[in-house]
Amino acid sequence: MTTTRPTPPAPARLALRRVLASQAMLTAGTLLVVMALFTALFPGKFATLYNLQTLMVDYSGIVLLGVGLTFIMTSARFDLSVGAVLVFSCVLGTKAMGALGGADGGWGAVLIGLIVCLGTGLLAGLVNGFLIVKARVPSIIVTLGTLSVAQGAAYVLTGGVDLYAVPKVMLDHIGQGKVLGLPVPIVVAALAVAVGSFVLSQTRFGQYTCATGSNAEAARRAGINIDRVAITLYLISGAGAGLAGFMSLARYGSTTLAAHQNDNLTALLGVVLGGTSLFGGTGTVVGTAVGVFIPGVLSNGLVMMQVLPYWQYIIVGIVLIAVVYIDLVKRRGRTEGG
């Protein structure tokens, strides 16, 4: 008597199952459900081109922060300073452009502003990485400290008053400009997501990042220079914060000191919702880009419902705790199964 073995699933079918069961797909499904709900409640207000485009532009800076955070958290580290570094880069960039003509400045002033913003972010990332790697201070403590320093320095340099010395050409062509019909901030965020996704998933550096987050000691024994990887990761995160600061200046025309207090939390929630584990080893930049817009859509919908927008902070906190708990349960299940 012959017995027939069940035919194993084809590799393509297995890959499809993994994709459909991934956290990124679940996040995308959740986002679509929330959007469908608000579309049904406000058919003539929510699902309009103007509203959705404005929402994407408003949260494009959070996406830039989220890209860098995805790399950091994939390596099992944290960066709590990105929001404050964003503001500090805005302040230094505005002062630099103000010295070159302010509102009347040309593209040369804009270029200097971009260099200063990116340089500020890179310097903050270098300081974070050096202290974490060389001084062996935990990343959450170091970045909490740089958060306080950057935020305090921003207020000291401005006296707590927003600066407005942003060239008009920057506002018109970057903040309000379009490329192929799409607002420039959306294009910049999309390019950052595309590059970040390629680097994390398709390059050796991305493999090193995942390996470091999965098991740092094993990665070290395999010949990976985990200290160099860590410093590079914080440089990426700092550059993302600096670029987000520059785009914020182009969007709002001022330093908006008080407008970025919750950017850290929103970006962190987007990263976790997108499928990046708080415990390291796995991360997806595309998932982060999707996850960032869930709190954005919630905030937009709550405003239309005439609910106090402060409820968003309560919802974000509850969702963050729930997602981390689910991630922890999954991790325990994999450990016990292994």
Side-chain angles (χ1 to χ4, degrees):
M1 181 177 179
T2 60
T3 59
T4 58
R5 294 183 177 180
T7 304
R13 195 180 306 166
L14 285 173
L16 180 61
R17 286 180 183 176
R18 292 193 190 99
V19 170
L20 293 177
S22 66
Q23 179 65 36
M25 286 300 297
L26 294 175
T27 302
T30 302
L31 178 60
L32 291 176
V33 168
V34 175
M35 292 180 68
L37 174 62
F38 286 128
T39 299
L41 291 174
F42 308 101
K45 294 177 64 178
F46 180 80
T48 64
L49 178 61
Y50 174 78
N51 184 59
L52 295 179
Q53 185 171 277
T54 301
L55 182 64
M56 294 177 70
V57 170
D58 288 344
Y59 278 78
S60 59
I62 306 295
V63 171
L64 294 176
L65 297 181
V67 171
L69 272 180
T70 302
F71 279 86
I72 295 291
M73 292 174 62
T74 300
S75 72
R77 293 180 174 87
F78 292 92
D79 189 350
L80 302 179
S81 67
V82 287
V85 172
L86 184 160
V87 173
F88 189 47
S89 69
C90 283
V91 171
L92 294 185
T94 305
K95 282 188 169 293
M97 290 186 289
L100 296 174
D104 298 324
W107 284 109
V110 174
L111 179 60
I112 295 300
L114 174 60
I115 293 172
V116 171
C117 287
L118 288 176
T120 302
L122 287 169
L123 180 60
L126 181 63
V127 171
N128 284 335
F130 181 83
L131 290 175
I132 291 166
V133 168
K134 299 301 181 182
R136 303 299 179 185
V137 181
S139 61
I140 194 168
I141 301 300
V142 170
T143 57
L144 187 61
T146 50
L147 179 155
S148 182
V149 170
Q151 192 171 44
Y155 278 92
V156 167
L157 290 175
T158 61
V161 179
D162 281 317
L163 305 178
Y164 294 87
V166 178
K168 188 176 183 299
V169 66
M170 179 176 169
L171 298 174
D172 293 340
H173 295 281
I174 299 179
Q176 305 297 329
K178 292 189 176 183
V179 175
L180 300 176
L182 293 174
V184 172
I186 295 178
V187 174
V188 172
L191 288 175
V193 169
V195 173
S197 180
F198 176 80
V199 171
L200 187 59
S201 63
Q202 302 296 325
T203 67
R204 184 172 296 179
F205 178 77
Q207 294 175 355
Y208 290 171
T209 301
C210 293
T212 301
S214 181
N215 190 323
E217 185 56 34
R220 188 192 300 274
R221 292 179 179 178
I224 298 174
N225 189 333
I226 63 174
D227 290 349
R228 182 183 300 171
V229 170
I231 291 176
T232 304
L233 291 173
Y234 279 98
L235 287 173
I236 292 173
S237 183
L243 181 58
F246 177 80
M247 297 306 298
S248 177
L249 288 175
R251 169 71 170 159
Y252 299 108
S254 73
T255 49
T256 55
L257 295 173
H260 302 284
Q261 294 179 355
N262 294 287
D263 285 2
N264 283 350
L265 183 60
T266 305
L268 177 62
L269 178 61
V271 173
V272 177
L273 282 175
T276 299
S277 174
L278 275 173
F279 305 99
T282 58
T284 162
V285 175
V286 174
T288 293
V290 175
V292 159
F293 287 102
I294 291 182
V297 169
L298 282 174
S299 177
N300 190 253
L302 289 175
V303 170
M304 291 184 180
M305 293 173 65
Q306 297 183 348
V307 176
L308 287 174
Y310 308 114
W311 279 99
Q312 177 197 353
Y313 307 140
I314 298 175
I315 295 172
V316 166
I318 294 173
V319 172
L320 180 60
I321 294 172
V323 171
V324 172
Y325 175 74
I326 293 172
D327 186 26
L328 181 60
V329 170
K330 287 182 179 179
R331 185 179 178 85
R332 288 173 179 168
R334 288 194 297 266
T335 302
E336 293 172 0

